[in-house]
Amino acid sequence: MSADQIRYSVLGSVRAWRGGEELDLGSPRQRAVLAVLLLSANRVVPQSGITDGVWGEDAPASSVNLVHTYVARLRRVLEPGRARRGAGRVLARSGSGYVLHVGAGSLDLDEFATFAGRARARRRAADLAGAVSEYTAALALSHGPPLAGIPGPLADTERTRLDELRLAVALERAEVTVELGGHEEVAGELSALAAGHPLRERIVALLMTALYRSGRQAEALEVYMRTRALLADELGIDPGPELQQLQQRILAGDTPEAGAGTAAPEAGVMVPRQLPAAAAHFVGRTAQLRQLTALLEGATSDPGGTVVISVINGLAGVGKTALAVHWSHQIADRFPGGQLYVNLRGYDPFGTPMHPGEALRGFLQAFGLAPDRIPPALDDRAALYRSMLAGRRVLVVLDNARDTAQVRPLVPASPGSLVVVTSRNRLASLVVGEGARPLSLDVLSSEHAAALLVRRIGSRAAAEPQPVAELTGLCARLPLALAIVAARAASNPQFPLAAVAAELLEASARLDALDAGEPHANLRAVLSWSTDALDSQASGVLGLLGVAPGPDISLPAAVSLAGQPLAQTRARLRELEDANLITQHVPGRYRMHDLVRLYAAEYAQHTQPQASRDAALRRLTDFYLRTAHTGDRLLAPYRPEPPRAGEPDSGCHPQPLTSIAEAQAWFTSEYPCLVAAQQLAAGRGWHTAVWQLAWALTTFHRRQGRLHDQVATWRAGLAAAARSADPAALALAHTCLGAACATAGHHREALHHLRRALTCADGAGDIAGQALAHSVLTEVWEYQGNDQQALDHATRALHLYQTLGDPLQEARLLGDVGWYHARLGNYGQALAHCRAALPLHRQHDDREAVAATLDSLGYIAHHDGDHEQALDYYHQALTMFRDLRDSYREAEILDCLAQAHAALGQHSAARDAWKHACELHRTQQRPDDAQRIQQQLDALDDSG
């Protein structure tokens, strides 16, 4: 271990040292955060896991900020040389959580497990003295109660687990010491353990053996009598058969063998085999089976490890139980101590979830324990269960668990056993507290979904591949839905599968079709059991998510949709995520399975008034519109002020954007939702929102080269503006659609809309509208190769903006006039106009216009024979367009750069620029431009 490596302790107080110096870890709550990270060392702990571990259900609204604060303080202690905003090496951010990097041998709990594992290996090899030495080294690491003084539910749970680990090691050392003949040496230690755990019959038996073999027969029998009386008073039961047999042997003077009575004998003990039958039509899941087996193999190779727990979580009907049972049958022979199975009924329409005490009763009886010997109290049952499983290798399958509290008492304490849990809930507390390994199950692949149908339906499915493909898509590859469809097909063998598929085609009737007549084979019913487990606020948010437009939703958008504060919305989404009704597929973005969305929309229709749903969708549309306007102003501050949308709806909280990069990223991530929001608004008759969304998307569309998308959104915008009875909006829509059509190559349609725009603007006396229409007409005529017409319209637009006294637009048109003079070969006039425009653009900080004018100056220099000067202008323009994230203009500048390089004989540089331009044109779906560039590349290659 290096001198600067940090050592940590949890087997006592939570402490840390660097070299010989102990570090100040701060307040108990801050040390609780460190404890959560240490107990999952070198694994990512999500923010929610830290919150659950430190506060549980009592987490304050400020818990997220508090965790950030505690982590920042811990970083200052653990990494004093770290830059304030630099990435952490010891305590690092990872996705939506944190990971604490702990070196090998740096955590006392890991050392404890290593020593204990070596001790057990030595014991198996009959090196008893060496085993005692290793056991002693493990126990020497413990200094008082583990996690002493640490608050929170995780610490409470872990204290119990770590105490059990320490107790198991202490007992194993005592057993080996007794085997070595050290009876007197260990008797005092066992007396102390028995005083602390008077109902643990394994401890009592070992103490009786040590006392008897030390010549203290009377004391051994007194321990028995005291234990029998205590069991009768506390639990109303007699000692177990092994303890009774030990007492009879001591009375008879039959000296027990060393270590006798220390564990329940295998002979006469029932070995339960409770696994249900494996699914007859199991398909796929190869990667998941491999992952589960790797987990088991890793545990087997670590003799000092803890109980292995795997939590298989996922959406209702996704096949969690089928996977768990299928895999359990594959590995059952590795667990000679037996296989336990229980359906915990966490999500069951016919009753409440099973109490863990009831499950424990069933497990204890499965091992042959008489009903009158089973303690009534949950804690006592759990203790007896852990004692019975100590030293045995048992597979425990806990199916359909509702929450962690239901599972914890059913987890064995000593190593060697495996627990497989299935749940619709992610059971994050079990992952954090017990080190459970989560496995989130998704729907089947298309190939395996089709294979499942073929297996269930038989030869009919193999003979109708096209309907099978349609059915897998309509069932969204959900195993339960596929099973229901297969059952419907089997019940009507005379119907072709195409008829079954047709029944599912209509989304509104799909849930009706996915009903095989019984609750567990009715997708709507199965999903309703998940909904019933939610609180009313979370189920309300689920319904609204079902009607929200777009393939997914961001947290800020969900805040406006729900009309709730951020902390509340995040908590509701976390609850839905824990229930596997939604998934956070990227940090901060949530989506639903297609069938869950159908169910959620139906649920909203039945549980929320139309007015409430309309208000929520209004807030969400307003969120997208207002945030898009903010983003557009950052991308193009030179554009006219966006159309006024009035005050935000109550509960709408637009997302603050502060930079071009942030705005560009927001448009990119939200784009499918923005398009869907415009379609929603059009369907609802919210006309103003439709054309205003088209306006807010214009700059993003143009810079990304989304030319056909731009046309589509403005066609919707024009239709909405025509219904809005707003002449200015109608003129603007015709102008913008004309500009979109011109850029996309629809020149005739572009001229039609721009002439209509001029007519509307003239009729309304809208000079600004006229100026805008003329400025766009310049582009149309340029695309058609009529530069004189383009110059005429640019000159008219310039005069109109001068009349309006709009210096920013006047400067822009001054540059445009210069550009069209250049196109006509009037380089002197072109240079004068562009040089006059450039300082004005810089004065207004109109970076796009600066870049466009530099492009014009490059064009003038290139065509005037000064190619070196042209390269300088083009490089400046390219840098600015890249800064503006304008890939459309970037592609055009690269073409110009290549031409200048080629003119200078710099063929390699020209080739590189054209290749990059060609790639951008193809990405932007501009095949004609890409073909033109490719022809120039080919010509360059032909010339050598």
Side-chain angles (χ1 to χ4, degrees), residues 613-638:
R613 284 178 278 143
D614 285 347
L617 292 174
R618 271 284 195 184
R619 290 192 301 268
L620 181 61
T621 304
D622 206 26
F623 164 84
Y624 287 129
L625 174 59
R626 293 176 183 280
T627 310
H629 275 176
T630 299
D632 183 66
R633 295 299 293 165
L634 287 165
L635 295 180
Y638 57 83

PDB file of all heavy atoms in Angstrom, residues 613-638:
ATOM      1  N   ARG A 613     -56.429  17.111 -17.779  1.00  0.00           N
ATOM      2  CA  ARG A 613     -55.479  16.624 -18.781  1.00  0.00           C
ATOM      3  C   ARG A 613     -55.134  17.724 -19.784  1.00  0.00           C
ATOM      4  O   ARG A 613     -53.970  17.902 -20.163  1.00  0.00           O
ATOM      5  CB  ARG A 613     -56.068  15.419 -19.509  1.00  0.00           C
ATOM      6  CG  ARG A 613     -56.025  14.134 -18.686  1.00  0.00           C
ATOM      7  CD  ARG A 613     -56.675  12.974 -19.425  1.00  0.00           C
ATOM      8  NE  ARG A 613     -58.120  12.995 -19.279  1.00  0.00           N
ATOM      9  CZ  ARG A 613     -58.992  12.661 -20.218  1.00  0.00           C
ATOM     10  NH1 ARG A 613     -58.563  12.322 -21.426  1.00  0.00           N
ATOM     11  NH2 ARG A 613     -60.282  12.693 -19.992  1.00  0.00           N
ATOM     12  N   ASP A 614     -56.149  18.491 -20.201  1.00  0.00           N
ATOM     13  CA  ASP A 614     -55.900  19.589 -21.134  1.00  0.00           C
ATOM     14  C   ASP A 614     -54.968  20.624 -20.519  1.00  0.00           C
ATOM     15  O   ASP A 614     -54.061  21.144 -21.185  1.00  0.00           O
ATOM     16  CB  ASP A 614     -57.220  20.249 -21.539  1.00  0.00           C
ATOM     17  CG  ASP A 614     -58.014  19.393 -22.524  1.00  0.00           C
ATOM     18  OD1 ASP A 614     -57.434  18.429 -23.064  1.00  0.00           O
ATOM     19  OD2 ASP A 614     -59.212  19.684 -22.736  1.00  0.00           O
ATOM     20  N   ALA A 615     -55.190  20.940 -19.246  1.00  0.00           N
ATOM     21  CA  ALA A 615     -54.348  21.932 -18.572  1.00  0.00           C
ATOM     22  C   ALA A 615     -52.903  21.452 -18.505  1.00  0.00           C
ATOM     23  O   ALA A 615     -51.956  22.228 -18.713  1.00  0.00           O
ATOM     24  CB  ALA A 615     -54.888  22.215 -17.171  1.00  0.00           C
ATOM     25  N   ALA A 616     -52.700  20.157 -18.220  1.00  0.00           N
ATOM     26  CA  ALA A 616     -51.346  19.615 -18.147  1.00  0.00           C
ATOM     27  C   ALA A 616     -50.654  19.680 -19.503  1.00  0.00           C
ATOM     28  O   ALA A 616     -49.473  20.055 -19.608  1.00  0.00           O
ATOM     29  CB  ALA A 616     -51.400  18.174 -17.650  1.00  0.00           C
ATOM     30  N   LEU A 617     -51.386  19.334 -20.571  1.00  0.00           N
ATOM     31  CA  LEU A 617     -50.792  19.379 -21.904  1.00  0.00           C
ATOM     32  C   LEU A 617     -50.539  20.811 -22.354  1.00  0.00           C
ATOM     33  O   LEU A 617     -49.574  21.082 -23.087  1.00  0.00           O
ATOM     34  CB  LEU A 617     -51.702  18.647 -22.896  1.00  0.00           C
ATOM     35  CG  LEU A 617     -51.800  17.126 -22.682  1.00  0.00           C
ATOM     36  CD1 LEU A 617     -52.835  16.520 -23.617  1.00  0.00           C
ATOM     37  CD2 LEU A 617     -50.438  16.465 -22.889  1.00  0.00           C
ATOM     38  N   ARG A 618     -51.390  21.747 -21.925  1.00  0.00           N
ATOM     39  CA  ARG A 618     -51.152  23.164 -22.203  1.00  0.00           C
ATOM     40  C   ARG A 618     -49.840  23.611 -21.552  1.00  0.00           C
ATOM     41  O   ARG A 618     -49.027  24.305 -22.166  1.00  0.00           O
ATOM     42  CB  ARG A 618     -52.309  24.005 -21.663  1.00  0.00           C
ATOM     43  CG  ARG A 618     -53.450  24.205 -22.626  1.00  0.00           C
ATOM     44  CD  ARG A 618     -53.082  25.233 -23.673  1.00  0.00           C
ATOM     45  NE  ARG A 618     -54.237  25.703 -24.392  1.00  0.00           N
ATOM     46  CZ  ARG A 618     -54.185  26.547 -25.410  1.00  0.00           C
ATOM     47  NH1 ARG A 618     -53.030  27.005 -25.830  1.00  0.00           N
ATOM     48  NH2 ARG A 618     -55.278  26.938 -26.029  1.00  0.00           N
ATOM     49  N   ARG A 619     -49.664  23.205 -20.266  1.00  0.00           N
ATOM     50  CA  ARG A 619     -48.431  23.590 -19.564  1.00  0.00           C
ATOM     51  C   ARG A 619     -47.209  23.012 -20.263  1.00  0.00           C
ATOM     52  O   ARG A 619     -46.178  23.680 -20.410  1.00  0.00           O
ATOM     53  CB  ARG A 619     -48.475  23.091 -18.115  1.00  0.00           C
ATOM     54  CG  ARG A 619     -49.468  23.790 -17.224  1.00  0.00           C
ATOM     55  CD  ARG A 619     -49.238  23.450 -15.764  1.00  0.00           C
ATOM     56  NE  ARG A 619     -49.328  22.022 -15.488  1.00  0.00           N
ATOM     57  CZ  ARG A 619     -50.433  21.395 -15.112  1.00  0.00           C
ATOM     58  NH1 ARG A 619     -51.566  22.098 -14.981  1.00  0.00           N
ATOM     59  NH2 ARG A 619     -50.425  20.105 -14.862  1.00  0.00           N
ATOM     60  N   LEU A 620     -47.313  21.763 -20.701  1.00  0.00           N
ATOM     61  CA  LEU A 620     -46.175  21.120 -21.352  1.00  0.00           C
ATOM     62  C   LEU A 620     -45.872  21.777 -22.696  1.00  0.00           C
ATOM     63  O   LEU A 620     -44.704  22.052 -23.016  1.00  0.00           O
ATOM     64  CB  LEU A 620     -46.461  19.637 -21.547  1.00  0.00           C
ATOM     65  CG  LEU A 620     -45.336  18.818 -22.193  1.00  0.00           C
ATOM     66  CD1 LEU A 620     -44.081  18.858 -21.332  1.00  0.00           C
ATOM     67  CD2 LEU A 620     -45.775  17.370 -22.417  1.00  0.00           C
ATOM     68  N   THR A 621     -46.916  22.050 -23.488  1.00  0.00           N
ATOM     69  CA  THR A 621     -46.703  22.731 -24.775  1.00  0.00           C
ATOM     70  C   THR A 621     -46.085  24.101 -24.555  1.00  0.00           C
ATOM     71  O   THR A 621     -45.181  24.529 -25.296  1.00  0.00           O
ATOM     72  CB  THR A 621     -48.037  22.863 -25.531  1.00  0.00           C
ATOM     73  OG1 THR A 621     -48.619  21.563 -25.698  1.00  0.00           O
ATOM     74  CG2 THR A 621     -47.838  23.498 -26.894  1.00  0.00           C
ATOM     75  N   ASP A 622     -46.563  24.796 -23.538  1.00  0.00           N
ATOM     76  CA  ASP A 622     -46.025  26.115 -23.205  1.00  0.00           C
ATOM     77  C   ASP A 622     -44.559  26.007 -22.792  1.00  0.00           C
ATOM     78  O   ASP A 622     -43.735  26.858 -23.141  1.00  0.00           O
ATOM     79  CB  ASP A 622     -46.853  26.721 -22.068  1.00  0.00           C
ATOM     80  CG  ASP A 622     -46.813  28.240 -22.081  1.00  0.00           C
ATOM     81  OD1 ASP A 622     -46.602  28.820 -23.151  1.00  0.00           O
ATOM     82  OD2 ASP A 622     -46.968  28.848 -21.006  1.00  0.00           O
ATOM     83  N   PHE A 623     -44.232  24.936 -22.061  1.00  0.00           N
ATOM     84  CA  PHE A 623     -42.833  24.713 -21.669  1.00  0.00           C
ATOM     85  C   PHE A 623     -41.948  24.589 -22.907  1.00  0.00           C
ATOM     86  O   PHE A 623     -40.892  25.229 -23.010  1.00  0.00           O
ATOM     87  CB  PHE A 623     -42.721  23.446 -20.816  1.00  0.00           C
ATOM     88  CG  PHE A 623     -41.316  22.925 -20.685  1.00  0.00           C
ATOM     89  CD1 PHE A 623     -40.456  23.434 -19.727  1.00  0.00           C
ATOM     90  CD2 PHE A 623     -40.834  21.921 -21.538  1.00  0.00           C
ATOM     91  CE1 PHE A 623     -39.148  22.967 -19.610  1.00  0.00           C
ATOM     92  CE2 PHE A 623     -39.539  21.454 -21.436  1.00  0.00           C
ATOM     93  CZ  PHE A 623     -38.691  21.977 -20.472  1.00  0.00           C
ATOM     94  N   TYR A 624     -42.367  23.744 -23.851  1.00  0.00           N
ATOM     95  CA  TYR A 624     -41.550  23.551 -25.053  1.00  0.00           C
ATOM     96  C   TYR A 624     -41.441  24.845 -25.853  1.00  0.00           C
ATOM     97  O   TYR A 624     -40.363  25.201 -26.343  1.00  0.00           O
ATOM     98  CB  TYR A 624     -42.159  22.446 -25.923  1.00  0.00           C
ATOM     99  CG  TYR A 624     -41.967  21.055 -25.375  1.00  0.00           C
ATOM    100  CD1 TYR A 624     -43.041  20.179 -25.230  1.00  0.00           C
ATOM    101  CD2 TYR A 624     -40.705  20.601 -25.014  1.00  0.00           C
ATOM    102  CE1 TYR A 624     -42.865  18.889 -24.735  1.00  0.00           C
ATOM    103  CE2 TYR A 624     -40.520  19.313 -24.518  1.00  0.00           C
ATOM    104  CZ  TYR A 624     -41.604  18.472 -24.374  1.00  0.00           C
ATOM    105  OH  TYR A 624     -41.420  17.198 -23.891  1.00  0.00           O
ATOM    106  N   LEU A 625     -42.558  25.569 -25.986  1.00  0.00           N
ATOM    107  CA  LEU A 625     -42.561  26.782 -26.791  1.00  0.00           C
ATOM    108  C   LEU A 625     -41.655  27.851 -26.184  1.00  0.00           C
ATOM    109  O   LEU A 625     -40.819  28.439 -26.868  1.00  0.00           O
ATOM    110  CB  LEU A 625     -43.992  27.303 -26.917  1.00  0.00           C
ATOM    111  CG  LEU A 625     -44.168  28.655 -27.609  1.00  0.00           C
ATOM    112  CD1 LEU A 625     -43.611  28.618 -29.022  1.00  0.00           C
ATOM    113  CD2 LEU A 625     -45.639  29.053 -27.619  1.00  0.00           C
ATOM    114  N   ARG A 626     -41.798  28.090 -24.894  1.00  0.00           N
ATOM    115  CA  ARG A 626     -41.043  29.181 -24.254  1.00  0.00           C
ATOM    116  C   ARG A 626     -39.552  28.847 -24.146  1.00  0.00           C
ATOM    117  O   ARG A 626     -38.703  29.719 -24.322  1.00  0.00           O
ATOM    118  CB  ARG A 626     -41.643  29.490 -22.882  1.00  0.00           C
ATOM    119  CG  ARG A 626     -43.019  30.086 -22.994  1.00  0.00           C
ATOM    120  CD  ARG A 626     -43.682  30.306 -21.653  1.00  0.00           C
ATOM    121  NE  ARG A 626     -45.029  30.811 -21.861  1.00  0.00           N
ATOM    122  CZ  ARG A 626     -45.318  32.090 -22.130  1.00  0.00           C
ATOM    123  NH1 ARG A 626     -44.355  32.971 -22.203  1.00  0.00           N
ATOM    124  NH2 ARG A 626     -46.556  32.469 -22.326  1.00  0.00           N
ATOM    125  N   THR A 627     -39.254  27.587 -23.851  1.00  0.00           N
ATOM    126  CA  THR A 627     -37.836  27.226 -23.796  1.00  0.00           C
ATOM    127  C   THR A 627     -37.217  27.284 -25.182  1.00  0.00           C
ATOM    128  O   THR A 627     -36.064  27.710 -25.346  1.00  0.00           O
ATOM    129  CB  THR A 627     -37.668  25.823 -23.184  1.00  0.00           C
ATOM    130  OG1 THR A 627     -38.403  25.730 -21.962  1.00  0.00           O
ATOM    131  CG2 THR A 627     -36.207  25.535 -22.899  1.00  0.00           C
ATOM    132  N   ALA A 628     -37.968  26.876 -26.194  1.00  0.00           N
ATOM    133  CA  ALA A 628     -37.469  26.959 -27.572  1.00  0.00           C
ATOM    134  C   ALA A 628     -37.217  28.403 -27.984  1.00  0.00           C
ATOM    135  O   ALA A 628     -36.235  28.701 -28.668  1.00  0.00           O
ATOM    136  CB  ALA A 628     -38.455  26.295 -28.527  1.00  0.00           C
ATOM    137  N   HIS A 629     -38.091  29.320 -27.591  1.00  0.00           N
ATOM    138  CA  HIS A 629     -37.864  30.732 -27.903  1.00  0.00           C
ATOM    139  C   HIS A 629     -36.580  31.232 -27.246  1.00  0.00           C
ATOM    140  O   HIS A 629     -35.796  31.952 -27.864  1.00  0.00           O
ATOM    141  CB  HIS A 629     -39.051  31.563 -27.424  1.00  0.00           C
ATOM    142  CG  HIS A 629     -40.172  31.604 -28.418  1.00  0.00           C
ATOM    143  ND1 HIS A 629     -41.368  32.230 -28.177  1.00  0.00           N
ATOM    144  CD2 HIS A 629     -40.281  31.098 -29.671  1.00  0.00           C
ATOM    145  CE1 HIS A 629     -42.155  32.114 -29.234  1.00  0.00           C
ATOM    146  NE2 HIS A 629     -41.522  31.414 -30.148  1.00  0.00           N
ATOM    147  N   THR A 630     -36.372  30.832 -25.985  1.00  0.00           N
ATOM    148  CA  THR A 630     -35.138  31.225 -25.300  1.00  0.00           C
ATOM    149  C   THR A 630     -33.924  30.677 -26.042  1.00  0.00           C
ATOM    150  O   THR A 630     -32.931  31.387 -26.261  1.00  0.00           O
ATOM    151  CB  THR A 630     -35.141  30.701 -23.855  1.00  0.00           C
ATOM    152  OG1 THR A 630     -36.250  31.260 -23.154  1.00  0.00           O
ATOM    153  CG2 THR A 630     -33.855  31.059 -23.132  1.00  0.00           C
ATOM    154  N   GLY A 631     -33.997  29.401 -26.425  1.00  0.00           N
ATOM    155  CA  GLY A 631     -32.887  28.802 -27.152  1.00  0.00           C
ATOM    156  C   GLY A 631     -32.640  29.463 -28.489  1.00  0.00           C
ATOM    157  O   GLY A 631     -31.489  29.689 -28.886  1.00  0.00           O
ATOM    158  N   ASP A 632     -33.710  29.804 -29.198  1.00  0.00           N
ATOM    159  CA  ASP A 632     -33.563  30.443 -30.502  1.00  0.00           C
ATOM    160  C   ASP A 632     -32.916  31.819 -30.374  1.00  0.00           C
ATOM    161  O   ASP A 632     -32.106  32.202 -31.210  1.00  0.00           O
ATOM    162  CB  ASP A 632     -34.928  30.570 -31.175  1.00  0.00           C
ATOM    163  CG  ASP A 632     -34.822  31.157 -32.564  1.00  0.00           C
ATOM    164  OD1 ASP A 632     -34.242  30.503 -33.446  1.00  0.00           O
ATOM    165  OD2 ASP A 632     -35.302  32.295 -32.759  1.00  0.00           O
ATOM    166  N   ARG A 633     -33.260  32.546 -29.307  1.00  0.00           N
ATOM    167  CA  ARG A 633     -32.657  33.871 -29.105  1.00  0.00           C
ATOM    168  C   ARG A 633     -31.160  33.755 -28.842  1.00  0.00           C
ATOM    169  O   ARG A 633     -30.387  34.635 -29.206  1.00  0.00           O
ATOM    170  CB  ARG A 633     -33.318  34.593 -27.933  1.00  0.00           C
ATOM    171  CG  ARG A 633     -34.766  34.940 -28.149  1.00  0.00           C
ATOM    172  CD  ARG A 633     -34.955  35.874 -29.342  1.00  0.00           C
ATOM    173  NE  ARG A 633     -34.383  37.195 -29.112  1.00  0.00           N
ATOM    174  CZ  ARG A 633     -34.155  38.090 -30.067  1.00  0.00           C
ATOM    175  NH1 ARG A 633     -34.434  37.787 -31.328  1.00  0.00           N
ATOM    176  NH2 ARG A 633     -33.663  39.269 -29.769  1.00  0.00           N
ATOM    177  N   LEU A 634     -30.742  32.635 -28.206  1.00  0.00           N
ATOM    178  CA  LEU A 634     -29.311  32.425 -27.986  1.00  0.00           C
ATOM    179  C   LEU A 634     -28.614  32.050 -29.288  1.00  0.00           C
ATOM    180  O   LEU A 634     -27.498  32.518 -29.560  1.00  0.00           O
ATOM    181  CB  LEU A 634     -29.101  31.310 -26.950  1.00  0.00           C
ATOM    182  CG  LEU A 634     -29.419  31.680 -25.507  1.00  0.00           C
ATOM    183  CD1 LEU A 634     -29.535  30.433 -24.637  1.00  0.00           C
ATOM    184  CD2 LEU A 634     -28.329  32.603 -24.942  1.00  0.00           C
ATOM    185  N   LEU A 635     -29.261  31.234 -30.109  1.00  0.00           N
ATOM    186  CA  LEU A 635     -28.662  30.830 -31.379  1.00  0.00           C
ATOM    187  C   LEU A 635     -28.620  31.978 -32.376  1.00  0.00           C
ATOM    188  O   LEU A 635     -27.666  32.118 -33.143  1.00  0.00           O
ATOM    189  CB  LEU A 635     -29.451  29.662 -31.987  1.00  0.00           C
ATOM    190  CG  LEU A 635     -29.449  28.329 -31.237  1.00  0.00           C
ATOM    191  CD1 LEU A 635     -30.290  27.306 -31.988  1.00  0.00           C
ATOM    192  CD2 LEU A 635     -28.036  27.806 -31.039  1.00  0.00           C
ATOM    193  N   ALA A 636     -29.666  32.807 -32.374  1.00  0.00           N
ATOM    194  CA  ALA A 636     -29.778  33.868 -33.388  1.00  0.00           C
ATOM    195  C   ALA A 636     -30.341  35.137 -32.759  1.00  0.00           C
ATOM    196  O   ALA A 636     -31.512  35.486 -32.969  1.00  0.00           O
ATOM    197  CB  ALA A 636     -30.664  33.394 -34.533  1.00  0.00           C
ATOM    198  N   PRO A 637     -29.543  35.839 -31.981  1.00  0.00           N
ATOM    199  CA  PRO A 637     -30.051  37.047 -31.320  1.00  0.00           C
ATOM    200  C   PRO A 637     -30.403  38.172 -32.289  1.00  0.00           C
ATOM    201  O   PRO A 637     -31.110  39.116 -31.915  1.00  0.00           O
ATOM    202  CB  PRO A 637     -28.886  37.456 -30.401  1.00  0.00           C
ATOM    203  CG  PRO A 637     -27.672  36.818 -31.001  1.00  0.00           C
ATOM    204  CD  PRO A 637     -28.154  35.549 -31.619  1.00  0.00           C
ATOM    205  N   TYR A 638     -29.933  38.070 -33.536  1.00  0.00           N
ATOM    206  CA  TYR A 638     -30.202  39.101 -34.532  1.00  0.00           C
ATOM    207  C   TYR A 638     -31.616  39.003 -35.096  1.00  0.00           C
ATOM    208  O   TYR A 638     -32.107  39.937 -35.716  1.00  0.00           O
ATOM    209  CB  TYR A 638     -29.221  38.935 -35.709  1.00  0.00           C
ATOM    210  CG  TYR A 638     -29.321  37.567 -36.325  1.00  0.00           C
ATOM    211  CD1 TYR A 638     -30.291  37.274 -37.272  1.00  0.00           C
ATOM    212  CD2 TYR A 638     -28.470  36.547 -35.912  1.00  0.00           C
ATOM    213  CE1 TYR A 638     -30.422  36.011 -37.796  1.00  0.00           C
ATOM    214  CE2 TYR A 638     -28.591  35.279 -36.440  1.00  0.00           C
ATOM    215  CZ  TYR A 638     -29.569  35.014 -37.381  1.00  0.00           C
ATOM    216  OH  TYR A 638     -29.693  33.752 -37.888  1.00  0.00           O
TER     217      TYR A 638
END
